[in-house]
Amino acid sequence: MKPSTPLRQRMLGEFAITLPSMIWLCIYFVLPTLIIFAIAFRSKGAYGGIGDTWTLNTLAELRNPDYPAIIWRTIWMSVICTLATLAISVPVAYHIARVSQWKRDILLLLTIIPFWTNLLIRIFAWRLVLHPQGMLRNLLISLHLIDPSTVFLGNPIAVLVVMIYTELPFAILPIYAAAEKFDFTLFEAAMDLGAGRLYAFFHVFLPGIREGLMSACLMIFIPLIGSYVIPDLVGGKDSQMIGNVIVRLALEQRNLPAAAAMSTVMFLIMSLPLLYYLKYTTAQHAKEVAK
Amino acid sequence: MTRRSIFPAIVTWLVLFFFYVPIILLVVNSFNLNSYGTAWKGFTLKWYTQLFVSDEGRAIWRSLYITVVVGALATLGSTILGTCAAFALHRYKSTLQNIHYTLIYTPLVLPEILIGISLLIFFASIHMPLGMTSIVLAHITFCVSYVTLAVLSRLQDFDMSVLEAARDLGASNWTTTWKVLVPIILPGILAGALLAFTLSIDDFVITFLVNGPGSTTLPIQIQGMIKRGRSMPLINSISSILLAITFLALLGSKLLMKTRPKK
């Protein structure tokens, strides 16, 4: 910026390119999010609308005996899925970072393709795999690996498998980005100094890619808390999550205040990781700008 | 050099196997005469021809058309807003820009379902009918952040002193903008636009919450077919066609990038 530019003109320039996106996001993102918290205390209107009076009844409606189990399941399934995805992604990212350039390009391309494929199509493909008359089940039964009464679709395990499947690219790519910057001579040095391979992996490599791991962890955990489609299409009654409750309240029961209250519950569960993540990325951005 | 462990390589290949088994099974099954399950009953192209002759097939193409229209409008809107935002974030350092950055970043981390439900409640409280308009507004909202970050990362890689150099060499503001700045950031804008388009045509959850009569997009159409258990083999054939397009597009863009000199 030239020092000769008058301050006023400079501020006008800043406003002119800042305000469009800022106003847009205030109207369609901040305002609707704030409305959620307010609507939770509104009465139910006719025809699925929102009533005119304030009430605390909605909170009472949340005292459904099924809800604590659903909330608890949402948390543990998201935690298990996050941990499993990270555990699988680290060796993959490590491998991709260590192979030659052309192999690396191919492996990255192969990782990205499922990520660019429509989510509904991938879920449908999994329904084919897990189908009661599907090849996988028939194969495992003929090998006597599973009991013929085993059902694949409609349980929490199926939901977990498909969730890991969809989250893997989101973990592999940031961890790979961190692993690529990691100086592997440190790793060799540790081993030359007598560290075992595993010791070097856990004490040199993992701390070295800590930032990538942390951002991958939050980047998959927060959206997992909000899962809806996967439990809906591959899960059964015993694998419903908070997202399914919210959609049922909003679209089937047409009870928007209750859906808003449930959304508030979901928001509270993820508020701590969310704030941490935002603080972290804002600091990163400040560092980048200061460069 | 110490011999490397083969464990990471094994995990990588298992993961790739895991990635592609469902997809390959889906494509194979699109040629399967069996309309229930995946047991092989013989080769057929029936499910592809039915895409063009049956009512359900016509509904699929119509939903694909709506998806592309929504995607194009959302891409246009979010690319304009996002490019401006990226310039602001890159050029100015102020409290306003710190707030701006947080505002841009938060929608990226929030689960889609919260964004969808808040927009649904918002549209209901201002009595706006749900349909194409509400979907496009929602899509622009969640795409803006992605476009901004794509353009911003391009701007951060770019040495702004080139602009000063151009001016010092006598180029006018107009020439500097169009001959120096635009060619440099255009790839960033295009990458942002492509990302926005892909996210828009892929979106299910937000669209599902804010859609109305006559605005069924392809993901909504597929979900409806799965739920009703109707014409399932048609999902195989349309998915295989879309997979082929995705695969060719990715391969093509990869090859195009290869032919361009590295920076």
Side-chain angles (χ1 to χ4, degrees):
Chain A
M1 186 53 54
K2 285 183 192 166
S4 62
T5 316
L7 186 67
R8 251 188 70 138
Q9 203 181 331
R10 199 194 142 160
M11 290 210 4
L12 275 178
E14 177 172 1
F15 283 153
I17 56 173
T18 307
L19 290 184
S21 53
M22 239 175 138
I23 293 175
W24 185 282
L25 287 174
C26 283
I27 296 177
Y28 293 107
F29 177 65
V30 179
L31 189 62
T33 310
L34 294 178
I35 285 179
I36 277 198
F37 301 130
I39 293 293
F41 298 98
R42 279 284 184 155
S43 60
K44 203 169 18 165
Y47 314 112
I50 296 150
D52 298 324
T53 50
W54 296 94
T55 175
L56 284 172
N57 284 348
T58 325
L59 296 182
E61 276 183 55
L62 287 189
R63 285 214 306 261
N64 184 317
D66 294 337
Y67 289 171
I70 292 177
I71 293 171
W72 174 235
R73 181 185 304 129
T74 306
I75 297 173
W76 75 254
M77 291 206 6
S78 305
V79 170
I80 290 183
C81 177
T82 306
L83 293 178
T85 308
L86 290 179
I88 299 170
S89 302
V90 170
V92 175
Y94 173 89
H95 180 70
I96 300 179
R98 298 216 76 176
V99 293
S100 59
Q101 187 64 45
W102 70 270
K103 260 194 182 174
R104 197 182 280 192
D105 283 347
I106 292 175
L107 289 176
L108 285 175
L109 185 66
L110 287 174
T111 311
I112 290 170
I113 290 173
F115 167 83
W116 286 100
T117 309
N118 195 302
L119 175 69
L120 262 291
I121 293 180
R122 284 179 286 157
I123 295 176
F124 182 71
W126 269 102
R127 282 177 61 100
L128 292 178
V129 175
L130 302 171
H131 196 272
Q133 270 105 50
M135 271 192 258
L136 179 69
R137 191 165 166 275
N138 291 345
L139 180 77
L140 291 177
I141 289 176
S142 61
L143 291 173
H144 297 286
L145 283 174
I146 55 163
D147 195 74
S149 63
T150 316
V151 200
F152 283 159
L153 264 181
N155 59 53
I157 307 277
V159 175
L160 274 176
V161 168
V162 181
M163 287 200 308
I164 292 172
Y165 181 84
T166 53
E167 296 300 334
L168 270 174
F170 289 99
I172 293 175
L173 296 176
I175 297 177
Y176 159 74
E180 196 205 9
K181 290 193 197 100
F182 179 75
D183 180 3
F184 280 99
T185 52
L186 288 174
F187 197 82
E188 316 280 341
M191 281 165 72
D192 287 345
L193 291 172
R197 194 186 280 141
L198 277 181
Y199 188 91
F201 181 82
F202 283 106
H203 290 86
V204 180
F205 180 66
L206 283 190
I209 57 162
R210 201 181 52 228
E211 289 202 342
L213 275 177
M214 202 60 214
S215 88
C217 177
L218 293 168
M219 221 164 88
I220 59 182
F221 178 74
I222 299 171
L224 276 174
I225 292 284
S227 296
Y228 160 69
V229 208
I230 298 173
D232 188 48
L233 291 180
V234 293
K237 272 213 159 59
D238 60 347
S239 30
Q240 299 298 292
M241 295 171 69
I242 301 180
N244 303 86
V245 176
I246 294 179
V247 172
R248 194 162 58 236
L249 288 171
L251 298 185
E252 284 168 32
Q253 301 185 8
R254 281 272 153 212
N255 186 345
L256 290 183
M262 208 62 194
S263 306
T264 310
V265 171
M266 180 189 274
F267 195 82
L268 289 178
I269 294 176
M270 66 179 83
S271 56
L272 277 181
L274 186 72
L275 284 178
Y276 178 82
Y277 193 48
L278 283 177
K279 221 180 113 191
Y280 172 78
T281 49
T282 315
Q284 288 288 100
H285 172 67
K287 246 195 272 171
E288 191 73 36
V289 166
K291 255 197 259 177
Chain B
M1 204 173 117
T2 352
R3 208 176 61 85
R4 291 208 195 128
S5 163
I6 56 160
F7 176 72
I10 295 174
V11 177
T12 307
W13 290 108
L14 283 177
V15 164
L16 289 179
F17 180 72
F18 179 60
F19 273 171
Y20 287 94
V21 163
I23 295 177
I24 291 168
L25 187 68
L26 180 135
V27 175
V28 170
N29 209 38
S30 72
F31 298 105
N32 187 353
L33 205 54
N34 186 356
S35 46
Y36 300 99
T38 54
W40 187 256
K41 283 216 177 126
F43 180 87
T44 179
L45 287 174
K46 188 164 100 184
W47 313 122
Y48 287 88
T49 49
Q50 276 204 2
L51 266 186
F52 296 92
V53 295
S54 68
D55 283 345
E56 198 82 17
R58 264 189 287 276
I60 290 176
W61 290 114
R62 172 149 179 80
S63 69
L64 189 62
Y65 168 75
I66 291 174
T67 312
V68 172
V69 171
V70 167
L73 292 172
T75 305
L76 185 70
S78 60
T79 305
I80 294 171
L81 289 172
T83 307
C84 288
F87 267 96
L89 286 171
H90 183 68
R91 186 154 174 193
Y92 302 101
K93 294 160 188 70
S94 59
T95 319
L96 181 69
Q97 294 310 326
N98 289 343
I99 301 170
H100 191 199
Y101 187 78
T102 310
L103 208 51
I104 293 281
Y105 213 94
T106 318
L108 289 179
V109 244
L110 271 195
E112 287 190 289
I113 192 157
L114 283 186
I115 298 178
I117 205 85
S118 64
L119 281 168
L120 170 67
I121 290 174
F122 173 68
F123 291 139
S125 40
I126 61 169
H127 303 289
M128 199 184 111
L130 299 176
M132 285 282 267
T133 319
S134 60
I135 296 181
V136 172
L137 290 175
H139 282 210
I140 292 179
T141 308
F142 75 80
C143 289
V144 166
S145 312
Y146 290 93
V147 177
T148 308
L149 292 191
V151 179
L152 186 61
S153 78
R154 180 78 192 174
L155 284 171
Q156 281 167 348
D157 286 345
F158 161 54
D159 184 5
M160 281 297 180
S161 59
V162 188
L163 293 183
E164 308 279 328
R167 279 200 203 98
D168 288 347
L169 292 170
S172 64
N173 272 342
W174 180 262
T175 319
T176 315
T177 307
W178 290 101
K179 291 274 160 94
V180 184
L181 184 62
V182 169
I184 288 176
I185 55 151
L186 199 59
I189 298 178
L190 288 180
L194 183 67
L195 190 59
F197 187 70
T198 318
L199 288 165
S200 169
I201 59 175
D202 197 39
D203 181 70
F204 172 73
V205 176
I206 295 176
T207 317
F208 182 61
L209 286 164
V210 300
N211 86 330
S215 55
T216 306
T217 63
L218 185 68
I220 308 281
Q221 174 77 20
I222 293 181
Q223 189 257 7
M225 287 165 77
I226 298 176
K227 280 273 167 182
R228 280 175 279 127
R230 271 181 58 199
S231 320
M232 304 279 259
L234 289 188
I235 307 182
N236 289 328
S237 49
I238 186 73
S239 302
S240 303
I241 294 175
L242 294 175
L243 273 167
I245 295 173
T246 312
F247 189 76
L248 290 176
L250 271 172
L251 209 64
S253 70
K254 199 85 198 161
L255 290 176
L256 271 180
M257 296 227 254
K258 265 274 146 57
T259 53
R260 230 184 284 150
K262 288 239 159 95
K263 56 167 181 179

